[in-house]
Amino acid sequence: MSALINLLGVALAGFIVWWFWLSRPRAHAAGAAPVTVVVADGVYTPARIEARAGEPLVLRFLRKDASHCAEKVIFDDLQLSAELPIGKPYDVRLTPPAPGEYVFTCEMRMYRGSVVAK
Amino acid sequence: MSMSATHHHSAQDSSHIRLSIGGMSCAGCVSSVETALRGVPGVTAATVNLGERTAEVSGTAAPEALIAAVKAASYDAAELRGVEDDEAKQAAEQAHYRRLLRKTAVAAAIGVPLFLGEMLGWLPPLSTAGGQIFWLAVGAMSLAAMVYSAGHLFAGAWKAFKVHNANMDTLIALGTGAAWVYSMIVAVFPAAVPSLAQHAYFEAAVIIIALVNFGAALEMRARGRTSEAIRRLIGLQAKTARVLREGEERDIPFAKLGLDDTVRVRPGERVPVDGVVIDGQSTIDESMLSGEPMPVTKKPGDEVVGGTINLSGSFLFQAKRIGRDTVLARIIEMVRRAQATKPAIGRLADKVSAVFVPSIMLIAVVTFLLWYNFGPEPRLSFAVVTAMTVLIIACPCALGLATPISIMVGVGKAAEFGILIRNGEALQQAARLTTVVLDKTGTVTEGRPAVTRILPLAGWDENALLQLAASVEAGSEHPLAAAVTAAAKTRALSASAVEQFEALSGRGVCARVGGKTVLFGNRKLMDERGVAAAVVEQQIDALAQEAATPMYLAVDGVLAGLIAVADPIKEDSEAAIARMHKLGLKVVMITGDHRLTAAAVARRVGIDEVIAEVLPQDKAACVTDLQASGAVVAMVGDGVNDAPALAQADVGYAIGTGTDVAIESADVALMGGSLHGVVDAIAVSQATLRNIKQNLFGAFIYNGVGIPVAAGLLYPLAGVLLNPMIAGAAMALSSVTVVSNANRLRWFKLREAAA
């Protein structure tokens, strides 16, 4: 019994490391149309968006969470931020300058998403 | 038809931008504007409506690219956007606040009686048959409370998990979820756990959820106040405008107002957008934007700015900047942008927050295993409680919030005083400053040479002297001449007819007025023409002490008097510089002026060091020299002539920008012209940085001490274990504390030293 619980504990620790740090969620490929990003329950959905470097991209944020946490979306590397209205779509236009990952977060960094430019 | 194309696209598959187009006069213009718009990459459709002078554009192109394309085709364009709907947002926030309170109440209604019963020993033990049924019922009730009060937390945790993310919700859901599941196992199969470990934690789970919701509600309240400054600015925007179209005046919504529209503003109304007065005259209160209290008179040809209040007359103006291009909109945008930037000091917290939650989960697992393997009996109970407490006490929010919330309040506070801080980095640098470099002209002084003294000799009076000087200078273009003619104008003296006007380079002017020969210029001119000037030697010395330049007036070869011209020192420069000294700053003045004049100005306002006779292009190099000697330098200038020096300095302050807020070279734009603004900006920066440090310190200490204590570090030392409910209360209060501390900045007083 005791060995089993220890084994489970170690396995759980390994899973946490693998799931949250080593693996990545499936990406949503962006096209010419705006990508709707729902802001609710502490998560951007989709949270990972694939786009092309150098091409304009519209992220249409739809904020459903009225708490202040969801109010701002900040793209640190692009020096871009927006204040999201509640319940209404808000378009953020950006052009990833070069291939790479551009993280966007809320002010407190609990909401977390990224644009992956190829 | 031109309009139909846009309606094919539903709001789902495309993004729309509405532009107001200026300068369109004919149907032919429509197609050239449309062609220009369609040529922008990312545009899928563009249609122009000539009647409304608007364009509808679909696609992914940015508004700036569209406007640039229209301007390249020689038309004007601006994006049309509505006033922000602040009321709807506040209503939604209010509803959310009440929902949080309801959730708190429900969870507390179940949790508190259980907690009290447990404390007072009224609840039956699990070992009896009746007791087991009681606890199963409690478990079901707790589940119901958790679904109602924490459903959103569990949903959020699950959604985050699916995208390989973990947040605050994850910790609370795991902590309370684990407590409930463990308690349920104990209630259903008491035999499965050692008898000492037969304890249910339903009340802890439910009370923690009540506390978390209550904390979120308190935080919401407190955070509402942090964005007060922005809300006030948005409130300056007029909701409607009275437009003159087809010969009649109509009230239209602000968002429909286009470029070149003629707008009527009546007394007491707000100017809706920026433009130029075309008819009527009035005084306008611009204090809400510039912080300058004096009303400004406006007549045809003068610019008016949206958001200011018309005090007296009714006037018509033509809209020149609308929507996002207005000064007010740009100020709001600048403040918002600055509020979202972060100085370097906040980066560590960001790095920590990024890995925080999974790390806490790992710590919880390790805590569980340590207690399970090495702890005293009942090992399983200890392991469950400590792991749960670790999950509950950890608070990434306080950490993530520490920097941005203070920046938000600090930058907003500054904006209320006409101090526009461009980024968070400027705040941090401002707190490290050792030296302030002031440009002389326009910064320490008014930047407008004016007549400071008129010294008539016997037989003359001030007005006669000034009238004569203004007459001969009327045709001159010298900057000192402008001061003389302006002075004559304020005294309502009209110029006499002048004959045989002659400008003498580097000396002055000579002309005949009313049959008399008049000489007006410097000492050199007098000496050359044999005018005896020795009688005024004493006055000349006195004038040099005052940093004024004397000009001599002679009539028919006899000296009539002196007119002194100087760039007057702003009346509060001395007081502001004294405040800089109080902050421990060294004050340096830099100028292209002559050494003696500069020294005289410096003496009067208390400047520590003067760098005189500097060519404009060498100012940046002077800043570099100071930096090389170890100084952290603030440069204060007008933002136009000294842009390179402002950019080179550690923090650049553009002073007296008025409504020209888009000065890129400066880190901080001061709309008012007083040097006090610089001191205020530095003081508010220091206070904000101090506030950030307190928050960061608090958040790091809280987590750094709280987590080990929750893990049971004190148990082997003092036999104390942290109650998970206390951990819940601490967690709920930690982010409220951070927000409340930031809110203290709202009471920060400016200019107290000046009073």
Side-chain angles (χ1 to χ4, degrees), chain B residues 73-291:
Chain B
S74 333
Y75 299 94
D76 198 7
E79 193 185 356
L80 283 170
R81 282 161 68 99
V83 183
E84 286 175 65
D85 199 352
D86 207 40
E87 281 156 30
K89 191 177 142 198
Q90 285 201 21
E93 284 178 356
Q94 265 303 315
H96 186 67
Y97 176 73
R98 283 195 298 270
R99 201 156 48 235
L100 287 171
L101 287 185
R102 275 201 304 277
K103 289 181 174 187
T104 307
V106 168
I110 306 237
V112 173
L114 275 178
F115 173 70
L116 291 177
E118 177 89 38
M119 291 274 292
L120 301 171
W122 290 350
L123 304 183
L126 254 170
S127 47
T128 64
Q132 193 178 5
I133 291 170
F134 171 83
W135 282 106
L136 284 172
V138 167
M141 262 173 23
S142 309
L143 181 65
M146 283 166 78
V147 168
Y148 176 76
S149 300
H152 61 295
L153 299 177
F154 282 88
W158 174 242
K159 280 193 188 172
F161 177 79
K162 281 196 297 186
V163 293
H164 301 239
N165 196 1
N167 55 29
M168 194 66 217
D169 297 349
T170 313
L171 294 176
I172 305 296
L174 275 179
T176 57
W180 188 86
V181 169
Y182 173 79
S183 304
M184 213 54 195
I185 291 172
V186 172
V188 178
F189 313 107
V193 288
S195 58
L196 271 173
Q198 283 180 9
H199 186 91
Y201 297 100
F202 294 120
E203 89 285 3
V206 180
I207 284 184
I208 286 165
I209 281 165
L211 287 167
V212 168
N213 278 309
F214 188 56
L218 285 184
E219 189 189 322
M220 186 134 194
R221 253 295 141 84
R223 287 190 77 170
R225 288 180 214 124
T226 61
S227 50
E228 202 175 53
I230 282 279
R231 264 210 305 280
R232 269 195 34 199
L233 284 170
I234 292 173
L236 295 179
Q237 210 123 318
K239 301 248 176 332
T240 58
R242 196 169 182 82
V243 173
L244 194 68
R245 277 184 188 164
E246 288 131 25
E248 57 177 292
E249 288 183 12
R250 285 183 291 175
D251 283 317
I252 61 164
F254 172 82
K256 292 247 166 93
L257 190 61
L259 286 172
D260 295 341
D261 268 336
T262 303
V263 185
R264 160 85 61 199
V265 186
R266 289 165 296 188
E269 286 181 339
R270 278 190 195 284
V271 178
V273 293
D274 302 354
V276 175
V277 176
I278 50 178
D279 188 41
Q281 188 166 346
S282 184
T283 49
I284 289 190
D285 177 5
E286 296 188 337
S287 62
M288 61 290 297
L289 290 185
S290 65

Side-chain angles (χ1 to χ4, degrees), chain B residues 634-703:
Chain B
M635 172 76 206
V636 186
D638 63 10
V640 183
N641 303 316
D642 34 29
L646 288 181
Q648 172 62 39
D650 296 281
V651 188
Y653 295 88
I655 196 169
T657 61
T659 49
D660 185 15
V661 293
I663 287 187
E664 292 286 338
S665 53
D667 301 301
V668 180
L670 305 165
M671 300 180 75
S674 165
L675 268 182
H676 278 300
V678 177
V679 194
D680 292 341
I682 293 173
V684 93
S685 302
Q686 289 181 342
T688 307
L689 198 74
R690 221 168 19 243
N691 201 269
I692 293 173
K693 283 182 179 162
Q694 290 159 356
N695 280 348
L696 283 174
F697 180 78
F700 273 113
I701 288 292
Y702 168 80
N703 282 299

Side-chain angles (χ1 to χ4, degrees), chain A residues 37-97:
Chain A
V37 179
V38 177
V39 185
D41 300 323
V43 186
Y44 295 124
T45 317
R48 194 174 162 86
I49 295 139
E50 249 173 36
R52 285 177 182 283
E55 283 183 21
L57 168 73
V58 178
L59 298 182
R60 175 166 294 163
F61 285 93
L62 184 58
R63 173 182 168 200
K64 292 181 175 167
D65 181 352
S67 70
H68 279 278
C69 312
E71 188 167 39
K72 275 192 180 149
V73 56
I74 301 170
F75 293 77
D76 269 339
D77 305 325
L78 299 172
Q79 311 263 305
L80 193 76
S81 69
E83 204 155 305
L84 305 176
I86 303 168
K88 274 189 297 192
Y90 185 90
D91 289 353
V92 172
R93 289 150 197 280
L94 54 109
T95 306

